Amino acid sequence: QQQVKQSPQSLIVQKGGIPIINCAYENTAFDYFPWYQQFPGKGPALLIAIRPDVSEKKEGRFTISFNKSAKQFSLHIMDSQPGDSATYFCAASLLQGTYKYIFGTGTRLKVLA
Amino acid sequence: DGGITQSPKYLFRKEGQNVTLSCEQNLNHDAMYWYRQDPGQGLRLIYYSQIVNDFQKGDIAEGYSVSREKKESFPLTVTSAQKNPTAFYLCASSIRQAGEQFFGPGTRLTVL
């Protein structure tokens, strides 16, 4: 009930490609779904987040698609660049209560020049 | 500049020794968190605190202890009871009523 399943574990794309990372959750009470980007040896940084009352959110080249009925959400990176090479984590949270995040296991993305 | 600082960046410890990792934030956030990161396992919650002088165990609290005597500080002690302490430790904070957690740069602990 508290797990967030993330796939794929790793991903390699050519520059300009559109990598897609998927996450699935079980607990329908989750109401906040952030994506974090982490470079080696650094702390994660918030990339984009979505609430379940919208199906899509765009910020620059990053888009979250959200399917409430399927309990799935995904991150798309448009026109990917070598600088996007990093590990990406999805998470789910309850904004009311403890504000704990449940993180996915991460996707290591490599964008080839 | 507002943010979260963690020190030291790298820490080496002998088996059987306790060690304390520092986390300080000047964002005026109420909530603070400690995570452990291992390869292929994502981030796992060790302890969290929503207000001063109060904290709760996360998913993997055994072998760890924390204190929250000041709003801006949330130190983590890795005790000798932690069987496999070598990992990357991340501290985070958030405004109590909002979702975004801000992370520090992390401390890499290696047990020799």
Side-chain angles (χ1 to χ4, degrees):
Chain A
Q1 270 269 323
Q2 289 290 77
Q3 276 191 325
V4 175
K5 295 182 179 180
Q6 183 172 347
S7 63
Q9 189 173 9
S10 62
L11 191 53
I12 301 174
V13 300
Q14 294 288 337
K15 178 182 175 182
I18 305 176
I20 301 173
I21 304 170
N22 301 297
C23 286
Y25 63 98
E26 291 294 325
N27 188 345
T28 56
F30 287 142
D31 58 4
Y32 181 70
F33 302 89
W35 284 90
Y36 279 81
Q37 179 188 56
Q38 184 180 31
F39 294 103
K42 307 293 185 184
L46 181 68
L47 201 57
I48 186 172
I50 198 168
R51 299 276 207 105
D53 52 350
V54 297
S55 60
E56 186 177 274
K57 183 175 181 180
K58 293 182 180 181
E59 285 189 9
R61 295 183 294 107
F62 301 93
T63 299
I64 298 179
S65 297
F66 189 85
N67 186 330
K68 189 173 181 178
S69 60
K71 293 184 285 186
Q72 295 176 348
F73 58 109
S74 59
L75 176 70
H76 298 64
I77 306 176
M78 306 302 177
D79 188 27
S80 58
Q81 302 296 313
D84 296 329
S85 297
T87 299
Y88 293 82
F89 292 95
C90 63
S93 175
L94 292 168
L95 287 184
Q96 300 300 317
T98 64
Y99 319 108
K100 290 170 57 177
Y101 280 12
I102 308 298
F103 279 93
T105 51
T107 296
R108 184 174 293 184
L109 172 67
K110 186 173 179 64
V111 181
L112 302 175
Chain B
D1 283 339
I4 303 175
T5 57
Q6 291 186 242
S7 61
K9 186 173 177 65
Y10 299 97
L11 189 56
F12 297 89
R13 187 195 93 177
K14 291 183 180 179
E15 274 194 46
Q17 289 181 337
N18 292 356
V19 64
T20 298
L21 282 59
S22 169
C23 177
E24 303 276 335
Q25 55 97 0
N26 60 3
L27 300 167
N28 200 32
H29 286 171
D30 288 303
M32 297 187 74
Y33 313 81
W34 273 106
Y35 292 90
R36 171 181 171 137
Q37 186 173 27
D38 296 283
Q41 295 195 46
L43 283 72
R44 293 183 290 168
L45 184 64
I46 304 172
Y47 268 98
Y48 63 101
S49 167
Q50 296 185 67
I51 56 173
V52 174
N53 292 321
D54 185 56
F55 48 84
Q56 285 78 41
K57 292 182 179 180
D59 302 317
I60 55 165
E62 185 176 351
Y64 300 98
S65 65
V66 294
S67 63
R68 186 86 187 276
E69 297 176 0
K70 298 185 295 182
K71 186 176 184 179
E72 59 270 21
S73 178
F74 191 40
L76 173 74
T77 296
V78 184
T79 75
S80 57
Q82 170 49 235
K83 298 303 179 188
N84 184 21
T86 295
F88 190 48
Y89 290 88
L90 288 159
C91 178
S93 71
S94 68
I95 299 173
R96 194 172 180 200
Q97 296 294 332
E100 180 177 357
Q101 289 188 15
F102 293 81
F103 282 84
T107 292
R108 185 165 299 280
L109 172 64
T110 302
V111 174
L112 304 173

